[in-house]
Amino acid sequence: MSRHALDPLHYLKPETLQRERQHIFSSLWIFAGFTSMVRERNQFFTRKVAGVPVLVQRTDAGIRAFFNECPHRLSAIQTESSGKRPLVCPYHAWSFGAEGELRAIPGEGLYRFSEAERREICLRKIHVAEIGQLLFVNLSAQPVPLEQQFNDAFRAQLEEASACVDDQIVYSCHRVRYNWKLNIENVKDLNHVAFVHPKSFLPELETPGLRAYDMATVPLAAPVQMIAQSTPVSLSTLSYPNTLQVKPRRNWFADLCDTYGREDTYSNWFIYPNVNMCSLRGQHFIFQQYDPVSPGETDYHLWMMTAKRKDARTDFTALLSSLIRAERAVIAEDTVLLERLQDGIGEHSGRFMHGDYEHALVAQHLWYRQTVLEGTA
Amino acid sequence: MIGHVIAGVGRALSEACETAEGLGLEYHKLELDSSDGFHFDIQALLQRYAREHVRVFVAIDHRGVNTSRQQLIMQVRMAGYGQFNLVSADALVCPQAVLKGNIHIGAGCTVAPGCEIGMGAWLSRRVVLERDVRLGAFVSLMAGVVLDDGVRVGNGSTLSAGTHGGTNCVVGRQCEWMLGGKLPANLPDRSFFDPLMPEGARVL
């Protein structure tokens, strides 16, 4: 009779992160950014996906993604985090075309490449997919079909909600000292809000804590049965939407935007493996992403924006600066807790004891066991 | 006889009034109303003071990347009121420095030759601007900010107490640097730094 599906040492081990890089971050579709970040020709952004440098750029062929690495000396093609410039390596000025094909090498005679060698030279492409305004990349040469990772209904919701997302975006990235999995598990666990965010987030909620869960639909001892039967879990079930009732409030900026959904709703879309997309009252949006750096370190990416502005001339700089500060204050409360949790995990650690309300988290652990650990706990 | 009105709210209003008193300036203090702390109502100003008879100084802190101060100064100007600067009697301001209106320069400040200070800028106490510093409009510099030669600060930006900007460093527009200490050489437009976000956030 176990309520434990994943050994806590998998939050610590470098070998586990190696497996995650292989089976999750190099296999699944990973959120990378927004289409608005590459609206114009040669506009680009760069980032890392689980340590892999990725470049997303709009070329004459459309939105393209590449490993941000010149085939000559492996120098980064784009060195800034965002900007607008053609695909030219700053090191020796090799230039590349719309699909990453080699255009020109200054002083080509120096290299003495054969015609066959020259034909092979190109930027390595990465698969890229759009769901509404959201851009996903897949580092695998043979990506899983997008619909295998996100079912039709979920993709339709992402498309609908992301259409309401504004293109004036405030962004921050900070490093936290805990495993990336703790964060996606934390945001899927609404029961923590009452205890960790009693003053910052809880007052917004109409349905705090366990009352947020409809336990009538959850079979008794669901985690126990799932673990005992090693229930097969499909990838698409790990990404799902959730809504909570919040106290209705119309913020001053709502009238300046085309808002999404209802004023009394807090919507989440958990995008497996590492994104929590939220909409508070349909008036502003939050995108959190937990990108692994090492087993005990995570880059916490945060994007925030209002619902789409009715008039592009409306400048929300001041609003965005205050929205991101408020969100970072809530995140700081989680960070204290999760860093302590991570710090306490070790060989001595016991086993998790998941309650029935955590059945989705157990399903996630079971999928992880089946896929990443290939059957071992 | 032209009168002087200092209109604003909170600590900035008190600080401006103190500076005016230090100058021996006769003034009327007008506390403004706001429903949200960001947008202010000038009805009281319009009702009490005819624009032909007074000049107005707007005294609001750096709230909303200084857009509150900007909006209010613009409203006051649009209503036809003239403005004035408030330069503390204890400040040393080079006569060649250019002050572009509604500027507060507090006690102990030093402004060197070649400096240009944009409209609505707020220099608190002991701020030092070395040669050729350019401050955009609606900038806020808190106590003890020191900017070396040639520093540029964009419109609407705020530097917190004790910040030091090295020679020729550039702060973009609508930035908030609330960490004190040494400024980076280049702060991109609309980037925000504070103890909660020491690595910064920025509008993309």
Side-chain angles (χ1 to χ4, degrees):
Chain A
M1 293 286 280
S2 175
R3 284 177 175 268
H4 163 95
L6 188 64
D7 192 315
L9 290 178
H10 291 303
Y11 296 74
L12 290 182
K13 287 175 162 176
E15 312 87 77
T16 301
L17 179 58
Q18 199 48 44
R19 280 177 170 274
E20 289 170 350
R21 286 200 165 111
Q22 183 185 348
H23 295 288
I24 295 179
F25 296 98
S26 294
S27 296
L28 301 185
W29 291 95
I30 306 295
F31 173 72
F34 301 88
T35 54
S36 61
M37 294 162 68
V38 283
R39 198 185 291 120
E40 294 168 33
R41 181 172 164 270
N42 281 335
Q43 203 178 354
F44 69 87
F45 64 86
T46 62
R47 55 165 302 168
K48 284 190 172 176
V49 172
V52 177
V54 169
L55 159 64
V56 178
Q57 179 149 346
R58 183 178 285 276
T59 71
D60 287 335
I63 298 174
R64 293 291 181 267
F66 306 98
F67 291 92
N68 190 15
E69 199 174 80
C70 179
H72 175 214
R73 295 280 293 156
L74 312 185
S75 164
I77 296 290
Q78 303 291 14
T79 52
E80 301 293 323
S81 58
S82 62
K84 191 176 169 186
R85 72 183 275 281
L87 292 165
V88 180
C89 178
Y91 199 174
H92 299 92
W94 289 26
S95 57
F96 302 89
E99 299 287 2
E101 73 280 8
L102 182 66
R103 275 256 171 90
I105 301 178
E108 195 163 354
L110 289 172
Y111 297 87
R112 293 184 176 170
F113 292 135
S114 70
E115 203 43 51
E117 283 172 328
R118 200 185 187 286
R119 270 199 304 274
E120 293 291 307
I121 297 172
C122 61
L123 298 181
R124 286 187 299 147
K125 272 171 102 164
I126 292 171
H127 291 274
V128 61
E130 296 173 39
I131 303 180
Q133 286 206 64
L134 314 184
L135 286 174
F136 292 82
V137 293
N138 191 307
L139 303 184
S140 168
Q142 307 277 322
V144 292
L146 198 61
E147 52 274 20
Q148 192 176 316
Q149 187 170 336
F150 310 122
N151 66 37
D152 293 349
F154 188 67
R155 288 200 321 279
Q157 278 205 27
L158 290 185
E159 202 161 324
E160 185 196 12
S162 73
C164 298
V165 161
D166 193 50
D167 58 8
Q168 192 179 29
I169 300 169
V170 65
Y171 167 77
S172 75
C173 177
H174 66 289
R175 193 157 287 180
V176 289
R177 295 189 305 274
Y178 54 78
N179 187 276
W180 69 276
K181 296 191 290 295
L182 288 181
N183 218 135
I184 191 71
E185 292 163 9
N186 180 59
V187 294
K188 284 183 170 181
D189 171 10
L190 301 168
N191 188 31
H192 83 278
V193 172
F195 310 107
V196 181
H197 311 294
K199 290 183 182 161
S200 55
F201 186 43
L202 186 70
E204 302 282 346
L205 297 183
E206 205 72 270
T207 51
L210 271 183
R211 283 186 286 137
Y213 290 92
D214 179 9
M215 294 303 291
T217 63
V218 180
L220 199 61
V224 177
Q225 291 168 32
M226 290 162 71
I227 292 165
Q229 295 161 10
S230 284
T231 308
V233 176
S234 85
L235 173 61
S236 65
T237 60
L238 305 182
S239 298
Y240 57 90
N242 190 65
T243 55
L244 285 177
Q245 267 217 304
V246 289
K247 292 166 188 153
R249 189 171 70 230
R250 193 156 180 85
N251 287 303
W252 64 267
F253 59 89
D255 291 335
L256 301 173
C257 303
D258 291 320
T259 55
Y260 166 81
R262 295 161 52 112
E263 264 176 38
D264 63 351
T265 304
Y266 175 68
S267 307
N268 282 97
W269 294 268
F270 302 117
I271 307 175
Y272 194 79
N274 63 345
V275 171
N276 177 24
M277 167 182 168
C278 326
S279 156
L280 184 54
R281 302 186 176 93
Q283 296 169 16
H284 76 268
F285 291 85
I286 305 161
F287 288 77
Q288 306 168 344
Q289 185 173 40
Y290 326 114
D291 185 52
V293 175
S294 70
E297 284 183 313
T298 300
D299 273 346
Y300 197 126
H301 298 269
L302 176 67
W303 297 263
M304 293 183 74
M305 67 290 286
T306 61
K308 204 174 267 301
R309 287 165 294 165
K310 287 177 179 165
D311 184 341
R313 289 170 300 183
T314 304
D315 180 9
F316 277 149
T317 301
L319 171 66
L320 292 172
S321 79
S322 67
L323 286 177
I324 200 165
R325 280 205 177 88
E327 180 63 16
R328 286 290 296 267
V330 177
I331 290 170
E333 293 169 343
D334 287 316
T335 303
V336 170
L337 187 123
L338 296 178
E339 287 188 342
R340 280 199 198 120
L341 199 167
Q342 177 80 27
D343 188 48
I345 297 175
E347 296 281 351
H348 63 275
S349 291
R351 293 153 71 84
F352 296 120
M353 184 74 181
H354 294 301
D356 283 8
Y357 84 94
E358 296 170 284
H359 62 95
L361 205 150
V362 170
Q364 190 173 293
H365 283 178
L366 288 175
W367 178 88
Y368 184 95
R369 248 163 61 167
Q370 292 154 11
T371 311
V372 179
L373 306 177
E374 295 169 306
T376 60
Chain B
M1 172 89 177
I2 296 286
H4 294 91
V5 176
I6 301 177
V9 72
R11 197 170 151 177
L13 180 58
S14 317
E15 208 173 322
C17 292
E18 279 167 29
T19 304
E21 279 156 26
L23 290 165
L25 187 74
E26 281 189 27
Y27 66 94
H28 301 267
K29 179 179 175 181
L30 178 62
E31 201 138 353
L32 296 174
D33 287 329
S34 168
S35 55
D36 60 4
F38 288 93
H39 303 92
F40 291 86
D41 188 357
I42 62 162
Q43 278 310 311
L45 176 72
L46 299 174
Q47 284 163 6
R48 284 188 221 168
Y49 303 100
R51 63 188 175 199
E52 301 81 20
H53 299 144
V54 294
R55 290 196 182 129
V56 178
F57 182 89
V58 170
I60 288 182
D61 65 16
H62 61 282
R63 69 191 69 194
V65 281
N66 293 302
T67 49
S68 293
R69 191 158 75 236
Q70 176 181 355
Q71 282 171 9
L72 194 52
I73 289 174
M74 290 307 169
Q75 272 178 277
V76 168
R77 281 166 63 95
M78 294 287 278
Y81 290 93
Q83 298 167 287
F84 64 100
N85 297 321
L86 272 176
V87 178
S88 166
D90 298 325
L92 285 173
V93 178
C94 167
Q96 285 82 45
V98 179
L99 311 186
K100 295 186 174 172
N102 205 116
I103 288 163
H104 177 267
I105 300 182
C109 291
T110 306
V111 177
C115 290
E116 271 186 36
I117 303 179
M119 183 198 295
W122 187 279
L123 282 63
S124 189
R125 289 158 287 114
R126 290 178 286 105
V127 171
V128 176
L129 305 186
E130 294 293 359
R131 284 178 176 269
D132 303 324
V133 167
R134 299 272 198 283
L135 302 183
F138 317 109
V139 160
S140 290
L141 305 181
M142 296 182 186
V145 169
V146 175
L147 301 181
D148 291 347
D149 291 357
V151 171
R152 302 276 184 276
V153 181
N155 293 350
S157 291
T158 297
L159 304 178
S160 70
T163 298
H164 174 216
T167 303
N168 293 330
C169 84
V170 177
V171 175
R173 286 175 289 123
Q174 292 182 294
C175 293
E176 289 177 328
W177 177 264
M178 310 306 278
L179 295 172
K182 183 99 177 161
L183 270 176
N186 197 335
L187 225 53
D189 288 347
R190 300 186 292 178
S191 54
F192 319 114
F193 297 79
D194 64 23
L196 199 59
M197 306 189 295
E199 68 300 308
R202 65 196 164 91
V203 174
L204 297 177

